[in-house]
Amino acid sequence: MLSDNTKIGTGLLFLGCVFLLLGCMFLFDSAMLAIGDILFLSGLTLTIGVSRTVRFFSRPDRIRGIIAFFGGIVLVMIRWPIFGMICQFYGLIYLFGQFFPIAVDSMKDTPVIGEFFRLPAVERFFASFGGGGRSSRRAPV
């Protein structure tokens, strides 16, 4: 059973993603992107907990992604939304790149989009994110 913090955090994560998507759709509206960033970070913190969030964002092997992600948030806050979103996107790919092959493996079993993820080119593309074989993959948090 999920705790109340996890449920609220998941909702905040969803709202953060919605605001980030809307901010990009409305020609990189910096106010919406800033709200999306705040909701995303608070939702992540509530979903996985404060100590795991701090541990995740203080890993020395991922310092490049951490700096890019938080630098992108700062750029969005000072109203440079396009460059900020580019930095955030790079930081997210760098931070959560290990998780993409895991997510793709689970999506291969879905009825409609599973065929797409079983294509050899798509499998090779997502396998390059993990940085290792199947045995070294694990969730990033």
Side-chain angles (χ1 to χ4, degrees), residues 22-141:
L22 287 175
C24 289
M25 284 175 55
F26 293 143
L27 301 176
F28 293 97
D29 181 33
S30 30
M32 283 193 148
L33 292 173
I35 291 171
D37 287 336
I38 292 168
L39 288 173
F40 181 81
L41 286 176
S42 59
L44 182 69
T45 304
L46 282 174
T47 301
I48 66 173
V50 176
S51 63
R52 289 179 70 183
T53 303
V54 169
R55 196 174 341 133
F56 177 73
F57 283 115
S58 62
R59 290 174 52 183
D61 60 326
R62 302 206 177 244
I63 194 72
R64 186 184 313 172
I66 295 165
I67 290 172
F69 181 71
F70 285 110
I73 290 175
V74 169
L75 286 174
V76 166
M77 297 286 184
I78 62 172
R79 298 197 178 260
W80 285 29
I82 295 174
F83 295 116
M85 288 308 293
I86 291 171
C87 285
Q88 283 184 28
F89 183 70
Y90 172 76
L92 281 176
I93 295 296
Y94 198 88
L95 288 171
F96 293 100
Q98 282 181 321
F99 182 67
F100 292 138
I102 298 169
V104 168
D105 280 345
S106 65
M107 283 191 260
K108 286 179 184 175
D109 298 330
T110 57
V112 177
I113 60 173
E115 293 297 322
F116 173 75
F117 287 110
R118 284 190 209 106
L119 293 173
V122 175
E123 283 183 345
R124 279 193 307 270
F125 175 75
F126 282 107
S128 67
F129 279 106
R134 216 175 193 340
S135 62
S136 68
R137 288 188 195 160
R138 62 180 203 85
V141 179

